[in-house]
Amino acid sequence: MSRVTVVGAGVVGLSVAHELARAGHRVSVVADRAAADSVSGVAAAIWFPHDVDHSVTVLESAAVTYRRLAELAEDPRTGVSLRGGTVLSRRPGPDTSWTRAVPHTEPARPDGLPEGASGIRCTVPLVETGAYLAWLRETVTGLGVRFRAAEVTSIAELSRQDDAEALVVAAGLRSAALLGDDDVSFPIRGQVVRLANPGLTDWITDDDNPGGLTYVVPRRHDVVCGGTGNVGSWDERVDPEVEAAILERVTALVPALAGQPVLSRAAGLRPGRAGVRVEPVAGHDRPVFACYGHGGAGFTLSWGDAARVAAMLGPAGS
């Protein structure tokens, strides 16, 4: 079997490790943060290609991931379920290209929508991040994947310490610096507050809300309420004023949330880039592959892009 090291243990890195191990490679994952401590653990993790371009390649990966997550939803241990909800738009001619990756969509009934808004109803996978990331790590460990906790400061240094025959860089925001990427990569700060669930099942997203990005994503035991999209901010602290503004927007959108107790709160940095990068990277002493720049769509593109990386490497021994 060939030896492959994956840099990064978020949802993308773990998905890549899974697909490579399934293809027969001997895989190691090296990262300084566990998935739950990365932005993957902060995400509302509802399927939607957010903060990425809607290119043909991106939507193909989104469709592959949709199908895989829909299959996983049949196993309650994964923490994946299929949930109905509404994508709101408050502007004329909204981009609906993402609907090509969804089996069925329909216009939302105007009653109940904010004044002047339109909506698209659909059913998409929703990932309970705590359960899913734990299940995914347990699954890849069962496939023989090994984990090492370390900060990777350069690919050259890793190459000197590692006997892998190939490297995959899936380290989110740090990937560009590791690979000397000249394209613009940047943080997109996201903040959420998680409320007790008063019995909600449907999700709703409102990217065009006049007060800022707004979404309500009910899970089994809480409701993830957001959010923010502060491009260029490296601040991972929870801001009380931002939280108050989020709560004001979500309760206006979903009045049933008013007065619900706060269960937890978090902030994280989405790995933004001019475009998702999944390709071989020349100039190294062994094959190196990039898989990063997923913006707010790490869960949405994870399985599709992991399959693309596995196809580039081919089966073990090839």
Side-chain angles (χ1 to χ4, degrees):
M1 293 188 293
S2 59
R3 299 181 301 278
V4 184
T5 292
V6 177
V7 183
V11 67
V12 174
L14 291 177
S15 302
V16 168
H18 182 283
E19 295 302 86
L20 293 177
R22 258 200 349 175
H25 298 282
R26 185 182 305 155
V27 182
S28 296
V29 174
V30 56
D32 62 346
R33 292 189 186 189
D37 299 323
S38 71
V39 69
S40 295
V42 177
I46 188 168
W47 182 100
F48 193 81
H50 181 67
D51 278 341
V52 289
D53 66 272
H54 291 178
S55 66
V56 172
T57 303
V58 164
L59 293 180
E60 286 175 350
S61 281
V64 169
T65 305
Y66 185 108
R67 293 192 292 269
R68 177 68 73 87
L69 291 175
E71 293 172 359
L72 293 176
E74 299 176 4
D75 183 350
R77 296 175 301 168
T78 65
V80 182
S81 59
L82 292 173
R83 293 284 187 90
T86 304
V87 177
L88 289 182
S89 179
R90 299 174 187 249
R91 68 181 73 180
D95 178 7
T96 59
S97 59
W98 59 271
T99 60
R100 298 198 299 268
V102 180
H104 175 72
T105 65
E106 61 185 16
R109 296 175 56 182
D111 55 308
L113 297 183
E115 184 177 355
S118 62
I120 295 177
R121 290 280 305 173
C122 57
T123 297
V124 301
L126 169 64
V127 175
E128 303 258 359
T129 52
Y132 181 76
L133 293 171
W135 169 85
L136 187 52
R137 174 157 178 152
E138 180 182 353
T139 300
V140 298
T141 300
L143 291 172
V145 175
R146 296 176 297 170
F147 288 83
R148 180 164 65 92
E151 180 180 357
V152 178
T153 57
S154 76
I155 294 301
E157 182 65 25
L158 178 63
S159 296
R160 287 191 289 269
Q161 300 172 352
D162 197 294
D163 64 353
E165 298 166 72
L167 303 175
V168 180
V169 178
L173 267 177
R174 300 190 58 209
S175 301
L178 290 174
L179 293 176
D181 188 351
D182 292 331
D183 281 351
V184 177
S185 296
F186 47 88
I188 306 173
R189 181 183 180 278
Q191 181 170 323
V192 299
V193 54
R194 306 178 185 109
L195 303 180
N197 191 342
L200 301 177
T201 56
D202 276 19
W203 51 267
I204 187 167
T205 65
D206 187 5
D207 286 10
D208 301 329
N209 191 295
L213 172 65
T214 305
Y215 52 86
V216 173
V217 181
R219 305 191 297 190
R220 283 176 293 184
H221 305 299
D222 62 9
V223 183
V224 183
C225 300
T228 60
N230 308 122
V231 175
S233 173
W234 291 90
D235 189 356
E236 293 185 82
R237 297 171 299 175
V238 171
D239 185 326
E241 293 185 5
V242 170
E243 180 175 302
I246 290 172
L247 290 172
E248 182 178 353
R249 295 199 302 275
V250 299
T251 53
L253 189 63
V254 184
L257 292 172
Q260 293 300 316
V262 173
L263 301 183
S264 62
R265 46 179 62 91
L269 306 179
R270 306 180 190 107
R273 189 175 180 274
V276 179
R277 189 183 190 192
V278 184
E279 63 182 6
V281 182
H284 298 274
D285 64 350
R286 68 197 70 189
V288 174
F289 300 85
C291 187
Y292 63 93
H294 293 93
F299 283 89
T300 301
L301 302 179
S302 56
W303 288 113
D305 281 355
R308 291 172 62 196
V309 171
M312 291 175 190
L313 270 75
S318 61

